[in-house]
Amino acid sequence: IYECKAFPTGSAYCARGGVRRYRGGGYCACTGTVYYCNGYGNSCYSRNSVGGISCSTNVFGDPGYKSQKYCACKPSGCSAGKRQVSPGNCASCALGQYQSSNLFTGSSCTSCAAGWYGASPGASACLRCPTGKYQASKGATSCTLCTRGKYASSTTSTSCAFCPAGQYGLSEGRSSCLSCPAGYFQNNQGTTGCKKCGIGQYQSSTRQSACKKCTVGRFGDAEGVAACKACAAGKYQESTGQVSCSKCGIGKSAFSAGASACTKCKAGRYEDREGSAEANCRGQCQPGYHCPAGSSTNRGQGSCPPLDADIKEWGSWYCAAGVAEKAPSGYLTLPVGSSPDRRESYREGPK
């Protein structure tokens, strides 16, 4: 292709134009200045173009149409961060706006999207709202701190979320919420603090929305505890959510901590004290007396035959140490001292 000897500085060939009386020509795709030049020199006509223009005499009005013409494009437009007021005249984008292209010929910039902001004029890009902040509107120049009880965990947030149950937000601008510690709870969303577990309750884990009742064998006499206390030996608690324990009654004992019930003294033993922690209770019953399980005196319910024994067989019962037993067949029971009703041993009967 024959071109001009010298296109204007900064321009480049873009289309072939008309020749002689032929006014037609090619299309020059160009945003900027298009030069319509004589093929035998560097004499040129020019016109501003946005997008493109026909390289023809009809457009440029060159009366010297007898020679071949050529078009060249010299791009123009505004740099990133600016808009075109008029060809060759640019202005910076306003606060809250941006323009990312070079050679931009548009007359307006773009507003920053929600979740973004533009803090300086002439921006080629908007800035992200950081975590802990949000922006619900377009074209903003700054972001807003999340209020107490809310958070924004990601950038470009358009709103803040409520702290969930079990958590709280004590300060503004949080990217995450704080966990309620052990012994505390929070059953509502969007709060700035936690609540203590009440007496008779506990919570061993963090970030909880409710407390638990103290289990049987345990009690809670203070607020905000992570664990309930075990009932001491000699005491018990049979219900949940209690604030104290009860002493074992007479005839019973609890020899280990955390009892949900007291244990009756074994047959042949007794306990006449409340709150006993003795595994074997107070001691053995007196020989010759019957002490069933849970006896509270060393003489139990009285002389040896148990209350439900057949009166005809009383003589065959004996109590070596408070435990009622029957003598084997062919043996006789022996009374204690002068009391014929108190029998503590047996011997072989007459043949």
Side-chain angles (χ1 to χ4, degrees), residues 4 6-12 35-37 42-46 72-74:
C4 294
F7 285 127
T9 302
S11 66
Y35 295 94
Y36 185 73
C37 302
N42 58 2
S43 176
C44 301
Y45 292 82
S46 66
C73 175
K74 184 178 181 179

Side-chain angles (χ1 to χ4, degrees), residues 62 64 66 119 123 162 172 239 241 267 271 274 296:
D62 175 22
K66 292 182 179 180
F162 287 113
E172 294 180 332
S239 301
E271 181 55 77
E274 291 186 337
S296 57

